[in-house]
Amino acid sequence: MTRVTRGYIARRRRRKNRSSVLGFRGAHSRHTRTINQQKMRALVSSHQDRGRKKRDFRRLWITRINAVIREKFIYNMSYSQFINKLYKNRILLNRKILSKIAISNRISFYNIIFRVISNNIRKFRLILLIINIINKLIECANNSTKLPGN
């Protein structure tokens, strides 16, 4: 019986599979069967890691917030107590935003902690107004220090 060469469809399918494993080493990027196995394994890992990335970032934000809260012993509060009081005072800031504020602008984060501790809404609104003014001044200062032409 004569040898039958397959048509272009199978070649096209294999070439498409090969293009997704170009950086793999050894047989993982050369042999069709191991290419398919490694491609499936990579897809499974990427699916798992998308969820893991969300968990890792949440852990990072919580660690940053906790570090800033415990840095000053004036407030004498833990992370869980802080989040609990945030919810009780109906301050809807998520952990990502809180960690950004904690790193970039400590004064405003301390003001948020102060608001959580004291339940005076007028003071908090005034503090937020002052924080916004300070942030605008900082942005203006940063923009004026840029070199012309950038």
Side-chain angles (χ1 to χ4, degrees):
M1 183 178 272
T2 59
R3 179 177 173 269
V4 176
T5 57
R6 295 292 302 263
Y8 71 97
I9 294 172
R11 255 195 320 277
R12 196 168 53 186
R13 187 185 71 239
R14 290 189 192 113
R15 191 182 316 132
K16 190 169 74 172
N17 282 344
R18 271 203 182 90
S19 67
S20 62
V21 294
L22 280 176
F24 294 5
R25 298 180 69 174
H28 295 173
S29 65
R30 290 189 185 92
H31 300 154
T32 304
R33 188 177 299 161
T34 53
I35 284 173
N36 289 333
Q37 291 169 356
Q38 290 304 310
K39 183 180 172 187
M40 286 193 310
R41 183 173 177 172
L43 290 173
V44 167
S45 296
S46 69
H47 180 268
Q48 290 172 348
D49 289 341
R50 279 195 294 275
R52 188 170 293 127
K53 184 170 79 170
K54 293 175 182 68
R55 286 195 299 271
D56 289 343
F57 270 109
R58 185 182 167 94
R59 284 179 63 191
L60 176 68
W61 298 329
I62 289 171
T63 306
R64 286 177 176 171
I65 294 167
N66 193 20
V68 173
I69 289 173
R70 291 175 185 261
E71 186 178 53
K72 298 255 181 183
F73 292 107
I74 300 166
Y75 303 114
N76 196 18
M77 193 182 340
S78 68
Y79 167 79
S80 60
Q81 292 168 344
F82 173 67
I83 293 294
N84 184 20
K85 289 181 181 181
L86 270 180
Y87 282 117
K88 282 184 180 176
N89 290 325
R90 297 185 192 136
I91 300 172
L92 302 175
L93 292 172
N94 61 15
R95 287 158 183 83
K96 179 181 178 180
I97 300 300
L98 282 172
S99 71
K100 282 188 177 181
I101 294 171
I103 289 171
S104 63
N105 196 350
R106 292 271 168 98
I107 296 168
S108 60
F109 188 74
Y110 291 146
N111 290 333
I112 291 172
I113 295 174
F114 177 74
R115 164 64 176 99
V116 166
I117 292 171
S118 68
N119 292 326
N120 196 343
I121 296 173
R122 287 183 195 152
K123 283 183 183 177
F124 183 65
R125 286 185 182 153
L126 181 65
I127 289 169
L128 280 180
L129 181 67
I130 293 169
I131 290 169
N132 287 335
I133 292 170
I134 291 171
N135 285 336
K136 287 179 183 177
L137 288 173
I138 291 171
E139 286 177 15
C140 289
N142 289 340
N143 289 337
S144 65
T145 58
K146 288 183 180 176
L147 297 173
N150 286 342

